[in-house]
Amino acid sequence: SAVISQKPSRDICQRGTSLTIQCQVDSQVTMMFWYRQQPGQSLTLIATANQGSEATYESGFVIDKFPISRPNLTFSTLTVSNMSPEDSSIYLCSATGQGATDTQYFGPGTRLTVL
Amino acid sequence: KQEVTQIPAALSVPEGENLVLNCSFTDSAIYNLQWFRQDPGKGLTSLLLIQSSQREQTSGRLNASLDKSSGRSTLYIAASQPGDSATYLCAVGDGGSQGNLIFGKGTKLSVKP
């Protein structure tokens, strides 16, 4: 199994600013993902964080709004740029060792409120 | 496009009851199905992972079944306890994005002492 930590755990931000969320895994993993959970909704995949290359974004999510880095096999960041109240959500990082067939482990999430 | 539905949305039971949570999905071409629990203010805890070739998985008081052909999975919780109170999420891995999970909206379970 993998233990995943995220920082910050929560934040309150002003409209128009940006926030970078960090995700740290305690072991080397193949795949890392970023999900969003809007209030009252389930989780939606934002992007797959690729080590050493650009992230792969899902439909409806763009790099300018959600730039992602993954400099090594255990660490990734997600930035929420030029925030608006609609970005208020829980952002979760996940990781898996084998990709499509392996258990996905999730971090505790970052609760973001945009005023 | 894969869609995952969970019924019921909420469930309240007295302690000790056995219960079943349901999950259905529209596209049977899945790699696996995973059940999670989410506690308020916390992340997701993986409960059970069923590969597409498997019919069920068991862990302690939990048993999950998978019927790919009918697009259904159930999570059976035996002898429920107040500590089981949480939101239970079903997610299918459809192979997209090399591991992308498609989530249902969850069943919020409350077990009364």
Side-chain angles (χ1 to χ4, degrees):
Chain A
S1 65
V3 177
I4 301 175
S5 59
Q6 286 184 232
K7 288 194 297 187
S9 58
R10 58 176 61 225
D11 207 342
I12 300 173
C13 301
Q14 295 297 319
R15 180 195 299 260
T17 63
S18 297
L19 176 72
T20 295
I21 302 168
Q22 299 180 3
C23 176
Q24 180 73 55
V25 188
D26 70 341
S27 57
Q28 291 189 350
V29 290
T30 304
M31 311 296 296
M32 292 183 75
F33 306 92
W34 287 97
Y35 288 82
R36 181 175 73 180
Q37 187 176 28
Q38 294 178 299
Q41 301 297 314
S42 195
L43 282 76
T44 302
L45 181 68
I46 297 172
T48 302
N50 300 309
Q51 194 256 330
S53 64
E54 195 170 283
T56 304
Y57 290 84
E58 298 299 304
S59 175
F61 298 96
V62 295
I63 188 171
D64 289 346
K65 176 67 176 177
F66 298 102
I68 288 170
S69 78
R70 190 180 172 191
N72 57 51
L73 290 174
T74 64
F75 185 78
S76 179
T77 66
L78 167 74
T79 299
V80 186
S81 303
N82 189 24
M83 288 184 284
S84 66
E86 292 72 33
D87 295 320
S88 298
S89 295
I90 300 173
Y91 292 86
L92 297 107
C93 170
S94 75
T96 181
Q98 301 281 342
T101 60
D102 203 10
T103 299
Q104 266 196 43
Y105 297 95
F106 281 78
T110 296
R111 184 180 294 271
L112 172 62
T113 301
V114 184
L115 303 178
Chain B
K1 178 185 174 184
Q2 181 75 267
E3 293 184 1
V4 180
T5 303
Q6 290 187 247
I7 295 173
L11 182 63
S12 181
V13 300
E15 181 177 5
E17 269 204 12
N18 302 324
L19 57 100
V20 175
L21 308 181
N22 296 292
C23 172
S24 62
F25 46 95
T26 54
D27 187 345
S28 62
I30 65 171
Y31 278 69
N32 54 35
L33 185 143
Q34 200 164 346
W35 283 93
F36 297 88
R37 68 175 279 169
Q38 185 173 30
D39 295 278
K42 298 187 178 181
L44 276 64
T45 301
S46 177
L47 298 173
L48 290 164
L49 169 70
I50 311 176
Q51 302 294 352
S52 62
S53 59
Q54 297 174 324
R55 296 298 301 267
E56 66 176 344
Q57 282 287 331
T58 298
S59 176
R61 294 182 294 108
L62 305 179
N63 175 276
S65 68
L66 174 64
D67 184 343
K68 269 183 53 177
S69 60
S70 66
R72 295 178 187 274
S73 176
T74 61
L75 179 67
Y76 175 82
I77 302 177
S80 58
Q81 303 171 356
D84 295 330
S85 298
T87 296
Y88 289 80
L89 295 168
C90 167
V92 300
D94 69 353
S97 299
Q98 301 179 64
N100 176 27
L101 292 178
I102 314 282
F103 281 83
K105 291 188 175 182
T107 294
K108 186 173 183 178
L109 173 65
S110 176
V111 181
K112 306 292 187 184

